[in-house]
Amino acid sequence: MKNIKKIICSTLTMAVLTAAILLPQAFAAQAGQPGYKAVLDVKATAYAPGPHDNGQWGNLTYLGTQIRPGVIAVDPRIIPLGSRVYIEFADGNTMYGVAEDTGGAIKGKRIDIAMQSVEQAYEFGIQNVKVYVLN
């Protein structure tokens, strides 16, 4: 009888622990909360602060913040300004960014990633990336 009680208690304990681990994940997935609002395949270019790449606006973004690595320019109809994003590059590298800027050539599924220098922006070139717009 003691062995049966031990088996039942062990089974119940395992069931409770399994439910405690798996149920929150199941409910989050079911509620549509994967951690991001959208996933977009976009064409990415790069730019640098200053008049060379940013014309009369120099070092400032559309929102009035300083252009710096981590800032991206977006089409606000596709990615709302102020959105936090996670970017996956084809080579496996990733980065986080914030949509703080727009640009005359940034229309539709296109982003412009801020770099430290014009040289880095040229080196980046044009790449296809996957952008996750975070919750």
Side-chain angles (χ1 to χ4, degrees):
M1 190 68 168
K2 283 186 179 184
N3 285 341
I4 293 174
K5 285 183 181 179
K6 283 183 182 180
I7 292 171
I8 292 172
C9 283
S10 294
T11 304
L12 287 174
T13 301
M14 289 303 292
V16 168
L17 289 173
T18 302
I21 293 168
L22 296 178
L23 283 177
Q25 294 172 356
F27 284 126
Q30 203 172 37
Q33 299 172 1
Y36 51 88
K37 298 175 189 176
V39 181
L40 306 166
D41 290 315
V42 304
K43 192 164 295 282
T45 52
Y47 73 115
H52 181 275
D53 286 348
N54 209 32
Q56 66 188 15
W57 295 278
N59 295 338
L60 296 179
T61 67
Y62 181 84
L63 295 181
T65 60
Q66 291 290 312
I67 295 174
R68 64 200 180 282
V71 165
I72 63 169
V74 300
D75 180 339
R77 296 171 300 162
I78 307 297
I79 300 173
L81 285 167
S83 296
R84 291 181 0 151
V85 299
Y86 177 76
I87 303 169
E88 287 181 351
F89 299 93
D91 65 4
N93 286 323
T94 63
M95 70 173 278
Y96 286 94
V98 181
E100 295 182 5
D101 208 356
T102 61
I106 308 303
K107 303 289 183 225
K109 290 185 176 181
R110 180 133 186 265
I111 63 170
D112 214 2
I113 301 171
M115 300 286 169
Q116 284 281 11
S117 68
V118 173
E119 292 77 25
Q120 287 177 333
Y122 279 135
E123 187 177 307
F124 182 86
I126 300 171
Q127 300 183 29
N128 293 316
V129 301
K130 188 174 293 265
V131 175
Y132 295 81
V133 180
L134 304 175
N135 288 339

